[in-house]
Amino acid sequence: MARTILTALVSAAVMGVGSYAASAATLDDVKAKGFVQCGVNTGLAGFAAPNASGDWSGFDVDYCKAIAAAVFGDATKVKYTPLSAKERFPALQSGEVDVLARNTTWSINRDTALGFNFRPVNYYDGQGFMVRKELDVKSALELSGAAVCVQTGTTTELNLADYFKANNLQYNPVVFEKLEEVNAAYDAGRCDVYTTDQSGLYSLRLTLSKPDDHIVLPEIISKEPLAPAVRQGDDQWFDIVSWVHYALVQAEEFGVTQANVEEMKKSANPDVQRFLGVEADSKIGTDLGLTNEWAVNIVKAVGNYGEVFDRNIGAGSPLKIERGLNALWNKGGLQYAPPVR
Amino acid sequence: MAIGVTNVPERSKSSGSIINDPQVRGIFYQAITIIILAALIYWIVDNTVDNLRRANIASGYDFLRSRAGFDVGQSLISFTSDSTYGRALLVGFINTLLVAITGIITATIIGFLVGIGRLSHNWIIAKLSLAYVEVFRNIPPLLVIFFWYSGVLSILPQARDALALPFDIFLSNRGVAFPRPVAGEGAEYTLLAFIIAIAASVFFTRYARQRQLATGERLPVLWTVLGLIIGLPLITFLVTGAPIGFDVPVAGKFNLTGGSVVGPEFMSLFLALSFYTAAFIAEIVRAGIRGVSKGQTEAAHALGIRPSLTTRLVVVPQAMRIIIPPLTSQYLNLTKNSSLAVAIGYADLVAVGGTILNQTGQSIEVVSIWLIVYLSLSLATSLFMNWYNARMALVER
């Protein structure tokens, strides 16, 4: 709370400094201070959560690392700012963070009125519901009269209102500011239903006292394209953040992995050579304001998109989320990178 | 005061240079301060406007008229997702007022009891009161709120196994559900009788005082007023055929349906704020009573006034003069502490404003509304307490 007010006031008062930096080249700022300041979730297993020794890991955290790797060639040059749903936008607006990689839904309002730019959707999500098995609910349409736990200040809260209104169902919202508070309230039985993005539900179920007592209902009631966000007015930085994602996707498409990236540099395929910056007179990275090694550095640091996905939220993680919409375009999904050329 | 001014020797004219003139110098420094302050404010506002425009952030208060799109769990007035952001803020404001007013009343009652308890000659009561004050005064209010909220949540049963209390009251981790009276035909007569009873009571109290001043005879004011306020509506209620039904809570699939529910968020915030602030009020009351000179009591006893009357007519009126100013500060603290509601999801002004801030991105506008509302609330409380203080102040004749 204090931080939100402070951020708002600081953004009002000192925006002279903050926004000056924002409208100018964020890349130069980042290089000057020597690290990327990355806004992440306060704790969502699989996406961004600190471990026992305080090191952050997760899907979104890997994006922060990938950006640092692209800029510095060193994935450790990141500082994380854990942000609640409510704190995230003022923090980005005021320049407290350089990029927001915090499972944030891209919407027109956020893209325009809030002054942000979202681009590469790094995770196609949708809002779902979780209930206790003992309630014997099979569909979200049976939820009339339920108390619903939801995090405030999210698109989730708005979709929830719209869905229940459209289906003429009654409900009683129980809202909290922090994800941890929502979890605790749901676990304690303060509400019957927990709603958030489906990926989040799978992640949160693991943290409940008895995960097996809960089921995620089949309905998906919204489109939630999660994307990293930057401030408007700095196209170069926007391009870098976008192309970090495209590089991850492209690497998966080419079959470039963390393990074989050095080997792939010798590939005969000119597309791969160009992508990895080994083509003669390559300007593939310098045009972005980075080095030609940028894609190599990203893959060395975190692997390709498929590896990032599997390690944090997919088959190789406790969450075991299917690739689904997040498979590559040529495997029935929506993940598609523009040509690196 | 006028006499004092003419007696001051005219220093300013005696000293030669204008630079050494204290009056001129005073004005000079004040002017400098005001200019710096104005420049600072201008710089902040100008910078903000300029940067908001540069960052492509829409600003202004027009968003208050847009559709909110979210629902609020606890609301005293009707609110749906179709209502406006402005109305959502109003809901939050009313919720803040509700918890502040009920909290102030309860804290005052507990505070006075404990404060008097600390002065009790009964060892156990005095020590219990001391323990109460020391425990609640030394814990941060947020922890007290969490204590009640988590305590309430973890101990109480699920809604479907709600604890049934007498009079169809149900207790569960969803709060306290109780029957809601539903007015039937003719119920308005009972309300009318109640209003008449209050008016009659005020009238009778005034009459009794005049009568006592004139003749010295004392009328049984308390009993008459109680009889009027309870009796008259009750008789009307029975005569018109008891036209009030009750909407009783019954177990639904998820929650209890029907009746009225006071949620655990409100309960824990209300209890925590009341108990926390009461500890401070207790100390203020004790200080106030201690502050009345012992000679006053002894003089009253010497005049043959009974101890109970001595307390009521001699000690308390003088103690109140000491108690009221710091009491005002505690009321203001309680009102401001109610913004801790955000931690447990009670829909107060800060919680609702925070949601709006997030949905619209209008941080500066929402923060300014918060500041103005809390400032107005505090000033209103201060004004009222100052008025009350002036009434209670020693009338010098």
Side-chain angles (χ1 to χ4, degrees), chain B residues 1-248:
Chain B
M1 285 312 286
I3 302 164
V5 170
T6 48
N7 283 350
V8 170
E10 294 187 4
R11 282 172 308 176
S12 51
K13 280 184 184 161
S14 60
S15 54
S17 167
I18 196 167
I19 299 172
N20 293 329
D21 187 329
Q23 215 173 345
V24 172
R25 230 194 276 177
I27 291 172
F28 175 72
Y29 286 129
Q30 286 178 42
I32 291 280
T33 314
I34 287 174
I35 289 171
I36 293 176
L37 196 67
L40 192 70
I41 291 172
Y42 175 78
W43 179 74
I44 290 173
V45 171
D46 185 55
N47 238 332
T48 309
V49 171
D50 188 41
N51 284 301
L52 284 178
R53 206 179 50 236
R54 217 168 352 160
N56 299 320
I57 301 171
S59 61
Y61 290 89
D62 290 342
F63 71 96
L64 289 176
R65 280 195 293 276
S66 317
R67 179 179 180 272
F70 61 89
D71 285 295
V72 177
Q74 314 98 356
S75 174
L76 289 183
I77 56 175
S78 69
F79 183 86
T80 68
S81 54
D82 288 331
S83 308
T84 61
Y85 285 122
R87 194 171 175 86
L89 279 174
L90 183 67
V91 168
F93 175 65
I94 292 175
N95 281 340
T96 295
L97 270 190
L98 177 71
V99 80
I101 291 173
T102 51
I104 282 174
I105 293 172
T106 321
T108 309
I109 295 171
I110 302 175
F112 270 77
L113 290 178
V114 175
I116 293 168
R118 283 209 61 184
L119 296 171
S120 169
H121 295 298
N122 184 322
W123 189 84
I124 292 181
I125 291 178
K127 291 301 162 196
L128 275 180
S129 303
L130 174 72
Y132 174 88
V133 168
E134 292 305 334
V135 167
F136 279 98
R137 196 168 60 156
N138 292 310
I139 301 177
L142 188 59
L143 285 187
V144 185
I145 293 174
F146 279 138
F147 165 77
W148 283 109
Y149 192 58
S150 306
V152 165
L153 269 188
S154 54
I155 293 169
L156 290 175
Q158 295 281 327
R160 272 155 297 134
D161 320 314
L163 215 59
L165 303 174
F167 305 111
D168 284 322
I169 297 172
F170 293 93
L171 196 62
S172 71
N173 63 6
R174 302 287 163 83
V176 187
F178 52 88
R180 181 178 50 217
V182 183
E185 205 168 322
E188 60 272 18
Y189 293 115
T190 308
L191 186 69
L192 195 67
F194 183 63
I195 294 169
I196 291 174
I198 289 179
S201 303
V202 172
F203 191 72
F204 180 76
T205 313
R206 284 207 181 148
Y207 169 73
R209 190 182 299 153
Q210 278 171 2
R211 177 83 178 266
Q212 190 186 355
L213 284 176
T215 66
E217 186 190 350
R218 295 178 63 194
L219 297 173
V221 176
L222 184 68
W223 295 113
T224 317
V225 167
L226 273 181
L228 271 174
I229 289 181
I230 296 173
L232 201 59
L234 192 68
I235 291 168
T236 321
F237 179 67
L238 293 176
V239 166
T240 50
I244 293 182
F246 284 96
D247 181 13
V248 178

Side-chain angles (χ1 to χ4, degrees), chain B residues 309-330:
Chain B
L309 280 181
T310 307
T311 310
R312 199 154 64 91
L313 299 175
V314 177
V315 178
V316 169
Q318 298 191 72
M320 285 309 279
R321 291 188 293 129
I322 309 172
I323 292 173
I324 290 170
L327 194 62
T328 310
S329 305
Q330 290 309 321

